C-alpha cells in the first residue's frame, strides 16, 4: 500500500487539528498550573529537563507521522522543525535584550514567555492559514516568498550586528503614551488597582513587546517552512513544537548566547538556500532529504565555528 503523501495528511481531518491543539493547550495548562504555579528563577537543570521534554515530544510526534503517513511527511516535518528551532535560537538574543532593558526579575521571565508563547501559537495559526490560502490560490506567491527569503538571507550576511533599542519599539511608545502604568513590578500581576484606577504593570508591557516581536519573527520563519512543505498541518505543527520549546531553550542557553556569534551567518545561508529551493522547485525539485542535510550542515558548521573561534572581547569589555 502506498504511504499517504504530505498533501493528504490533513485532507478532511479537522479532528487532527482539534486533537493537536487540545493536547498543546492541555500541556501548557499543566505547565502553568502544576509546574510553574509559583514564580521562581529557572535553573539550568530545570531548563535542560524541559528542553529534553519538548524536543522528545516533537520527535515522538515525528515518529508517529512516519508510521502513520510515511517517510516524506516525517522528513518535511523534521526539516520545518529544524529551521524553526534555528530561527528561534536567533530570536532568543532579542528576548535577552528585552528582559535586560526592562530589568525583568528572573522569577517573572518564565511567566512573560509563557503568555508570549501562547499568543504566538494563536498568531502563527492565523499567519499559516493566510499563507496556505495565498499559496493555494496564487502560485506566484511562492516566488515572492522565495525572493524575500533570499533577500533576508543576504541582508543577514551583510549587515553587522546592531544594538536593538526597545525604547524605539512602537508598542513601547504606545503604552507609555496611552496606557496608565505603574513604574514598578507588582509580583506576577499584569494589572493592579491603585486609588480606584486600573493600571498596567511593566510586566504587561514586556508581554506586549514579546508578542509584537514574534510577529516580526513570523515574517521570516513561516515563508521558510513553506519551502520544505506546503501541507498546512505540517507547517503548523512544526512551528508550534519549536515555539513550545522556546522558553526552556532560552533559560538553557541564556548565558551562552554570546558564544553563537557565527549562527547569524548560518541562518543567512539557510534562508538563502530555502529561497533558492523555492525558486527552482518547478524545474528542479530538491529532495527533502537533501534539503535537511544541507540545512543541518550549515547550522552545525556555524555553531562549531563559533566554538572553535570564540568572539574576541572588545577593549575594556571585561
Amino acid at each position: 500500500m502506498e504511504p499517504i503523501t504530505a498533501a493528504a495528511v490533513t485532507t478532511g481531518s479537522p479532528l487532527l487539528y482539534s486533537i493537536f491543539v487540545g493536547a498543546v493547550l492541555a500541556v501548557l495548562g499543566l505547565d502553568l498550573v502544576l509546574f510553574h504555579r509559583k514564580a521562581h528563577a529557572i535553573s539550568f537543570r530545570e531548563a535542560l529537563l524541559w528542553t529534553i521534554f519538548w524536543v522528545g515530544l516533537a520527535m515522538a510526534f515525528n515518529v508517529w507521522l512516519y508510521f502513520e503517513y510515511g517517510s516524506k511527511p516525517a522528513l518535511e516535518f523534521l526539516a520545518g522543525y529544524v529551521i524553526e528551532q534555528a530561527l528561534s535560537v536567533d530570536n532568543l538574543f532579542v528576548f535577552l535584550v528585552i528582559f535586560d532593558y526592562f530589568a525583568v526579575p528572573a522569577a517573572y521571565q518564565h511567566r512573560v514567555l509563557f503568555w508570549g508563547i501562547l499568543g504566538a501559537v494563536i498568531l502563527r495559526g492565523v499567519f499559516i492559514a493566510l499563507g496556505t490560502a495565498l499559496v493555494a490560490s496564487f502560485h506566484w506567491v511562492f516566488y515572492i516568498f522565495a525572493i524575500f527569503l533570499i533577500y533576508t538571507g543576504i541582508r543577514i550576511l551583510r549587515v553587522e550586528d546592531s544594538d536593538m533599542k526597545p525604547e524605539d519599539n512602537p508598542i513601547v511608545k504606545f503604552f507609555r503614551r496611552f496606557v496608565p502604568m505603574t513604574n514598578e513590578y507588582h509580583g506576577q500581576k499584569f494589572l493592579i488597582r491603585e486609588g480606584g484606577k486600573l493600571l498596567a504593570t511593566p510586566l504587561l508591557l514586556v508581554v506586549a513587546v514579546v508578542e509584537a516581536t514574534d510577529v516580526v519573527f513570523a515574517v521570516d520563519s513561516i515563508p521558510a517552512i513553506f519551502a520544505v512543505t506546503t501541507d498546512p498541518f505540517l507547517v503548523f505543527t512544526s512551528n508550534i513544537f519549536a515555539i513550545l520549546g522556546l522558553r526552556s531553550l532560552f533559560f538553557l542557553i541564556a548565558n551562552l548566547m554570546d558564544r553563537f556569534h557565527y549562527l547569524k551567518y548560518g541562518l543567512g545561508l539557510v534562508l538563502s538556500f530555502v529561497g533558492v529551493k523555492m525558486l527552482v522547485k518547478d524545474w528542479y525539485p530538491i529532495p527533502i532529504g537533501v534539503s535537511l542535510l544541507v540545512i543541518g550542515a550549515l547550522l552545525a558548521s556555524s555553531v562549531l565555528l563559533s566554538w572553535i573561534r570564540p568572539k574576541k572581547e572588545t577593549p575594556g569589555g571585561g
Side-chain angles (χ1 to χ4, degrees), residues 11-305:
T11 301
S13 183
L15 180 61
L16 205 54
Y17 277 98
S18 301
I19 292 173
F20 180 78
V21 172
V24 167
L25 293 177
V27 173
L28 285 175
L30 286 173
D31 182 358
L32 182 65
V33 176
L34 187 61
F35 297 104
H36 296 98
R37 189 173 185 177
K38 294 183 179 180
H40 64 280
I42 307 297
S43 66
F44 180 85
R45 180 177 180 276
E46 184 180 356
L48 177 61
L49 291 174
W50 275 106
T51 299
I52 293 171
F53 171 77
W54 289 117
V55 173
L57 204 60
M59 293 305 98
F61 180 80
N62 198 30
V63 170
W64 175 79
L65 280 174
Y66 175 80
F67 285 107
E68 189 71 16
Y69 298 108
S71 60
K72 188 172 184 290
L75 284 172
E76 289 180 353
F77 169 85
L78 184 59
Y81 178 73
V82 169
I83 289 174
E84 186 64 27
Q85 276 286 29
L87 291 171
S88 295
V89 171
D90 194 45
N91 298 344
L92 298 183
F93 288 88
V94 179
F95 291 156
L96 198 61
V97 172
I98 293 172
F99 286 158
D100 183 63
Y101 175 78
F102 290 103
V104 181
Y108 308 143
Q109 291 177 5
H110 181 275
R111 185 172 177 82
V112 169
L113 290 178
F114 175 88
W115 291 106
I117 295 308
L118 190 60
V121 169
I122 298 170
L123 287 172
R124 294 300 175 96
V126 173
F127 288 160
I128 289 167
L130 290 173
T132 301
L134 284 173
V135 168
S137 302
F138 309 102
H139 185 68
W140 52 264
V141 171
F142 244 93
Y143 302 118
I144 300 297
F145 283 175
I147 293 170
F148 172 75
L149 288 173
I150 293 171
Y151 166 77
T152 303
I154 293 173
R155 181 169 56 83
I156 290 174
L157 292 171
R158 294 185 62 183
V159 176
E160 293 295 323
D161 291 328
S162 59
D163 293 330
M164 177 192 173
K165 297 180 179 179
E167 64 270 20
D168 293 335
N169 189 299
I171 298 295
V172 174
K173 292 181 178 179
F174 174 84
F175 258 72
R176 288 179 172 169
R177 184 171 182 180
F178 298 106
V179 180
M181 288 182 58
T182 63
N183 293 322
E184 308 85 23
Y185 290 100
H186 291 262
Q188 298 187 78
K189 295 179 180 178
F190 295 125
L191 298 167
I192 64 165
R193 282 197 176 275
E194 279 188 358
K197 292 183 178 179
L198 188 64
L199 303 175
T201 70
L203 208 61
L204 183 62
L205 172 56
V206 177
V207 171
V209 173
V210 168
E211 293 284 9
T213 304
D214 183 71
V215 173
V216 177
F217 295 162
V219 173
D220 287 340
S221 64
I222 292 177
I225 291 184
F226 274 111
V228 294
T229 179
T230 55
D231 183 279
F233 185 67
L234 298 179
V235 173
F236 180 66
T237 52
S238 58
N239 242 274
I240 299 309
F241 270 119
I243 291 172
L244 289 175
L246 191 59
R247 293 163 302 151
S248 56
L249 196 61
F250 173 82
F251 295 108
L252 183 66
I253 67 173
N255 296 323
L256 301 175
M257 288 183 193
D258 197 47
R259 298 189 183 185
F260 296 113
H261 52 286
Y262 284 116
L263 179 62
K264 59 169 277 187
Y265 299 107
L267 291 174
L269 291 172
V270 166
L271 290 178
S272 298
F273 167 74
V274 296
V276 171
K277 173 182 166 67
M278 291 178 83
L279 275 181
V280 304
K281 72 182 294 289
D282 288 337
W283 301 279
Y284 185 75
I286 300 174
I288 186 62
V290 174
S291 298
L292 191 55
L293 286 173
V294 172
I295 292 167
L298 289 172
L299 294 173
S301 298
S302 64
V303 171
L304 183 61
L305 190 59

